[in-house]
């Protein structure tokens, strides 16, 4: 049940870049956490794009308007180990460079990976633990 929030300055991405971002992040997160890339896994992988208005993003105390990324990924606790965390970071970095069309400096993209305590996810009025999510994405479609 990965949830990804991406923040960029307003107007810095074209529609094709947004499409590439959504697809790329979905694939990178699923691959990184070792989940199957199936319709069920994709159905619970959400990506939100937040375009911050001009003058509302500052770096080092100075307003920034050129393309930078802040990415926040929330995943169920127990999904990641060091290898998977590294794989997610590398995959996200590659997607962001592909979308930007250039190599990004460390100050141009920050990624925050957070694990949500097992049992703190819910959907449709039901609590989902990591084992429930794993069973959901692997269960054949009824």
């Amino acid at each position: 049940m990965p949830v990804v929030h991406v923040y960029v300055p307003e107007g810095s991405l074209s529609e094709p870049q947004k499409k590439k971002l959504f697809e790329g992040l979905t694939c990178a997160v699923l691959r990184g956490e070792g989940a199957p890339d199936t319709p069920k896994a994709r159905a619970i992988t959400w990506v939100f794009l937040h375009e911050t208005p001009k003058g509302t993003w500052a770096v080092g105390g100075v307003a920034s308007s050129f393309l930078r990324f802040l990415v926040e990924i929330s995943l169920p606790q127990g999904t990641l180990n060091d290898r998977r965390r590294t794989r997610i970071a590398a995959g996200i970095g590659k997607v962001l460079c592909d979308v930007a069309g250039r190599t990004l400096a460390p100050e141009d993209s920050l990624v925050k990976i957070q694990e949500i305590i097992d049992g703190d996810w819910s959907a449709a009025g039901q609590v989902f633990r990591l084992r429930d999510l794993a069973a959901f994405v692997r269960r054949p479609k009824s």
Side-chain angles (χ1 to χ4, degrees), residues 8-22:
V8 297
E10 185 175 52
S12 60
L13 294 177
S14 67
E15 290 305 314
Q17 285 174 304
K18 291 176 188 177
K19 184 177 179 180
K20 183 185 277 192
L21 181 72
F22 293 144

Side-chain angles (χ1 to χ4, degrees), residues 38 42 69 75 81-82 85 104 115 124 126:
T38 63
R42 284 175 168 262
F69 299 90
L75 299 156
N81 55 31
D82 286 340
R85 192 173 283 106
L104 296 171
E115 291 185 85
Q126 176 182 346

